[in-house]
Amino acid sequence: MSGDEPFITAVKPLVDAMGGQLLPPDEAGPDDVVLSWEGVDAVAVRLPQLADSLDHILAAMERKQGRPLADLDRKAKQEVVRVLEARGAFAVRHGVETVASALGVSRFTVYNYLNREKEA
């Protein structure tokens, strides 16, 4: 890992944001993505399961807000739902329930926020 350190340093924030994991290329499994740098396998990326990814996205949103998502006001919660829908969060099994729990609202409220977005 001599010449590929800048490459690994460059991709690490992206992998972290996705909730993925960096691995040596020789430890890559069949579902991992091997990235090459200057013709040499530099690093493998293990992508998260979709449900884990949603938890990671919610934790990142909470860090960005600087407080629990459940403590946000209604307008801010609606914005969180809008961003999550754009990122495909509700395609994940139990996505609505997971988001509702993180926001401290009911599933019905999340569906209302989603419907309000579609009507706008």
Side-chain angles (χ1 to χ4, degrees), residues 3-18:
D4 55 8
E5 291 294 337
F7 176 71
I8 293 170
T9 300
V11 300
K12 186 172 181 350
L14 175 62
V15 173
D16 289 347
M18 294 184 322

Side-chain angles (χ1 to χ4, degrees), residues 45-62:
V45 178
R46 181 157 296 154
L47 300 172
Q49 297 297 313
L50 284 176
D52 295 338
S53 186
L54 178 54
D55 290 338
H56 189 80
I57 290 168
L58 288 167
M61 293 181 90
E62 202 164 77

Side-chain angles (χ1 to χ4, degrees), residues 7-119:
F7 176 71
I8 293 170
T9 300
V11 300
K12 186 172 181 350
L14 175 62
V15 173
D16 289 347
M18 294 184 322
Q21 177 184 3
L22 295 175
L23 306 166
D26 59 343
E27 292 181 19
D31 294 330
D32 297 331
V33 179
V34 178
L35 303 176
S36 296
W37 179 250
E38 297 180 346
V40 177
D41 291 346
V43 68
V45 178
R46 181 157 296 154
L47 300 172
Q49 297 297 313
L50 284 176
D52 295 338
S53 186
L54 178 54
D55 290 338
H56 189 80
I57 290 168
L58 288 167
M61 293 181 90
E62 202 164 77
R63 281 191 306 276
K64 185 177 180 182
Q65 294 289 334
R67 57 187 165 153
L69 296 177
D71 293 348
L72 299 176
D73 64 25
R74 184 174 51 87
K75 185 173 172 115
K77 288 178 181 181
Q78 289 171 335
E79 177 63 16
V80 166
V81 169
R82 187 191 65 73
V83 169
L84 290 171
E85 182 176 28
R87 294 185 72 178
F90 301 110
V92 176
R93 185 175 177 179
H94 302 296
V96 170
E97 291 86 348
T98 301
V99 171
S101 177
L103 293 175
V105 299
S106 68
R107 288 178 24 218
F108 180 75
T109 298
V110 173
Y111 284 119
N112 278 340
Y113 291 168
L114 288 167
N115 289 335
R116 186 168 295 134
E117 182 65 28
K118 285 180 176 61
E119 293 169 3

